[in-house]
Each structure stands twice: as structure tokens, then as C-alpha cells.
């Protein structure tokens, strides 16, 4: 679990962080959020590739879908793929 920002960040630094966020345009904030989302997806995919080094591209996509959206969604999208077997 991540520590609460209120407990581990100096109040002046926390306020400066929020000032910088408020100074960004909505489009800028959206771009940064999208970039962070993409980074998380890349890290999840890298973890899958490390755990399943022999997985082909389809299996990686199946496992990533399962990790992000759950097994039922993955089954609806990919059917009875062997990566989704119990």
C-alpha cells in the first residue's frame, strides 16, 4: 500500500505540487494521465513476458486483458484461450 501523501510529504512541497498541477491545462493533465496509463500497461506487459517467456503475442494480449479487465472480459474477447484455463 502506498503511503498517504499527507504523512510523508512536507506540507510546502505538497502545496507546490498542487500548484504545478493547477497550472497545467486540462489537455496537459489528460496527456500526462494517458502517458502514465500507457506506462502502467507496458510494465504489466513486461511482467507477463517475464513470467511467461514462451508466450506469443496473442497470449500476452490475453493475459494483459485478464489482468486489466478480469477473466470474464478476457473470455468474452478471446474465447477459450489456453491462458484462461484454470
Amino acid at each position: 500500500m502506498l503511503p498517504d501523501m499527507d504523512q510523508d510529504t512536507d506540507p510546502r512541497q505538497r502545496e507546490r505540487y498542487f500548484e504545478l498541477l493547477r497550472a497545467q491545462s486540462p489537455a496537459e493533465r489528460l496527456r500526462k494521465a494517458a502517458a502514465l496509463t500507457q506506462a502502467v500497461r507496458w510494465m504489466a506487459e513486461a511482467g507477463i513476458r517475464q513470467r511467461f517467456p514462451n508466450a506469443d503475442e496473442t497470449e500476452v494480449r490475453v493475459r494483459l486483458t485478464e489482468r486489466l479487465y478480469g477473466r470474464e472480459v478476457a473470455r468474452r474477447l478471446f474465447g477459450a484461450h489456453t491462458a484462461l484455463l484454470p
Side-chain angles (χ1 to χ4, degrees):
M1 184 155 188
L2 294 175
D4 188 337
M5 186 184 232
D6 288 338
Q7 295 176 6
D8 71 346
T9 304
D10 180 277
R12 293 168 301 190
Q13 295 300 320
R14 186 177 55 252
E15 184 53 37
R16 178 68 179 135
Y17 171 74
F18 288 123
E19 285 174 17
L20 291 171
L21 285 178
R22 285 190 291 268
Q24 295 174 1
S25 70
E28 225 176 336
R29 288 195 302 266
L30 183 59
R31 273 192 300 277
K32 287 184 179 184
L36 286 171
T37 299
Q38 185 62 51
V40 168
R41 290 177 70 92
W42 285 335
M43 290 186 338
E45 186 177 319
I48 291 166
R49 289 181 190 284
Q50 185 175 26
R51 186 168 177 204
F52 302 97
N54 297 322
D56 62 16
E57 290 303 310
T58 300
E59 182 177 346
V60 171
R61 285 181 34 225
V62 169
R63 291 185 184 281
L64 181 61
T65 300
E66 180 184 20
R67 182 174 289 178
L68 295 174
Y69 305 109
R71 184 166 286 225
E72 289 308 310
V73 171
R75 281 190 177 140
R76 280 186 292 197
L77 292 172
F78 297 99
H81 191 280
T82 55
L84 298 171
L85 295 176

